Amino acid sequence: MGKNQSVKGNFIYNNIEKLDKNFMYKNLERSNCYNCEFSGSNFNFVNFRGAHFKSCVFFECTFMWAEFIGTNLKGSDFENAKFENTLFDSVNLEGVDFKDAEFINTIFLSTDITKAINLSVNTPGIKIYDEMPVLEISDELRTSVLNVMKNKFVKSARVLDTKDGGINVINLMILLTHFDEETLIKGLNIIETDLNCDFHTLSYIVKYLKNNM
């Protein structure tokens, strides 16, 4: 095993077994793994931004609120895996097998699912967006989102902005399924001034708002 020192907590694995492990809440951003076995492991609330997990086995793994953003999963196996509130954004799914995988509220954005195996537009529990959707929001909500992105921890997490600096509409849509607009505006204003710790996935914002509103 090796450590990629550019991101605290991530790792480099090659040709190893990590069975039934608990990786919950880990920041695996820019991790690099090849031909590894992770069967039965817990990847709930994990950030896979910019990571490479090629030819890996994730049999019966769980991915609740996990975020695959710019991730390379080429040739990996997710047979019987469970995905809930999971995001796949700009992910390489070439040769990825989702045989008997379970999906609940899972979003595929700017991701070619035709390259995957046992996954289609008719798969239950998924939503597919070829590109970032358009969402009409009030000026007050837009201002709150732009202001909260000035918080250094929110800015670092990259959960509310896109790579070109715009608002991440997908994640805003997700927040609006959990909170009405008035509550969300108030909550974002609280986060702007009060949130003072590192986090890595949108699930933290959801939990923070539910605990503080």
Side-chain angles (χ1 to χ4, degrees), residues 7 9 29 52 110 130 163:
V7 177
E29 182 175 349
H52 294 257
S110 302
D130 292 333
K163 61 183 180 181

Side-chain angles (χ1 to χ4, degrees), residues 96-148:
V96 176
D97 193 351
F98 290 98
K99 182 180 179 181
D100 296 324
E102 179 182 345
F103 298 92
I104 301 173
N105 296 328
T106 296
I107 292 174
F108 290 85
L109 169 66
S110 302
T111 297
D112 187 357
I113 70 166
T114 66
K115 293 184 177 181
I117 303 168
N118 294 306
L119 182 69
S120 75
V121 295
N122 298 317
T123 298
I126 72 172
K127 293 181 180 179
I128 301 170
Y129 298 92
D130 292 333
E131 57 187 25
M132 190 70 74
V134 175
L135 178 66
E136 295 294 330
I137 60 175
S138 68
D139 290 340
E140 187 176 5
L141 178 56
R142 182 179 301 277
T143 297
S144 293
V145 174
L146 293 175
N147 284 340
V148 78

Side-chain angles (χ1 to χ4, degrees), residues 17-33:
E17 288 189 353
K18 286 286 184 178
L19 306 180
D20 302 309
K21 300 298 182 181
N22 184 10
F23 297 102
M24 190 162 59
Y25 297 114
K26 293 290 186 181
N27 181 22
L28 300 184
E29 182 175 349
R30 296 200 295 277
S31 289
N32 198 324
C33 298

Side-chain angles (χ1 to χ4, degrees), residues 2-213:
K3 286 283 187 178
N4 181 342
Q5 299 298 330
S6 63
V7 177
K8 183 179 180 181
N10 73 355
F11 47 65
I12 299 172
Y13 290 144
N14 288 296
N15 305 305
I16 66 163
E17 288 189 353
K18 286 286 184 178
L19 306 180
D20 302 309
K21 300 298 182 181
N22 184 10
F23 297 102
M24 190 162 59
Y25 297 114
K26 293 290 186 181
N27 181 22
L28 300 184
E29 182 175 349
R30 296 200 295 277
S31 289
N32 198 324
C33 298
Y34 176 75
N35 195 35
C36 295
E37 170 86 46
F38 295 102
S39 292
S41 295
N42 180 346
F43 288 95
N44 296 342
F45 309 101
V46 167
N47 172 27
F48 290 92
R49 183 187 293 268
H52 294 257
F53 281 80
K54 295 189 291 185
S55 300
C56 293
V57 177
F58 296 95
F59 178 74
E60 292 188 343
C61 291
T62 59
F63 298 91
M64 180 183 295
W65 284 102
E67 295 183 3
F68 296 89
I69 302 173
T71 313
N72 186 354
L73 300 175
K74 183 178 180 179
S76 287
D77 183 356
F78 289 87
E79 183 177 353
N80 287 105
K82 294 184 178 180
F83 302 89
E84 183 172 355
N85 296 315
T86 307
L87 173 65
F88 291 83
D89 179 356
S90 306
V91 176
N92 181 0
L93 296 181
E94 183 178 350
V96 176
D97 193 351
F98 290 98
K99 182 180 179 181
D100 296 324
E102 179 182 345
F103 298 92
I104 301 173
N105 296 328
T106 296
I107 292 174
F108 290 85
L109 169 66
S110 302
T111 297
D112 187 357
I113 70 166
T114 66
K115 293 184 177 181
I117 303 168
N118 294 306
L119 182 69
S120 75
V121 295
N122 298 317
T123 298
I126 72 172
K127 293 181 180 179
I128 301 170
Y129 298 92
D130 292 333
E131 57 187 25
M132 190 70 74
V134 175
L135 178 66
E136 295 294 330
I137 60 175
S138 68
D139 290 340
E140 187 176 5
L141 178 56
R142 182 179 301 277
T143 297
S144 293
V145 174
L146 293 175
N147 284 340
V148 78
M149 287 194 291
K150 297 175 183 177
N151 177 292
K152 69 177 184 179
F153 299 102
V154 175
K155 183 177 181 180
S156 177
R158 299 289 312 284
V159 296
L160 292 177
D161 66 311
T162 60
K163 61 183 180 181
D164 60 3
I167 292 175
N168 188 318
V169 173
I170 285 288
N171 281 352
L172 185 56
M173 288 170 57
I174 293 171
L175 289 175
L176 286 169
T177 66
H178 290 272
F179 310 97
D180 60 65
E181 184 172 306
E182 182 180 357
T183 300
L184 183 56
I185 290 170
K186 291 179 180 178
L188 292 177
N189 291 340
I190 292 172
I191 288 174
E192 180 189 356
T193 57
D194 294 356
L195 193 150
N196 59 0
C197 64
D198 289 320
F199 67 98
H200 309 291
T201 64
L202 186 69
S203 61
Y204 184 86
I205 294 289
V206 175
K207 181 179 179 181
Y208 189 96
L209 291 178
K210 288 183 176 180
N211 289 340
N212 290 276
M213 296 301 296

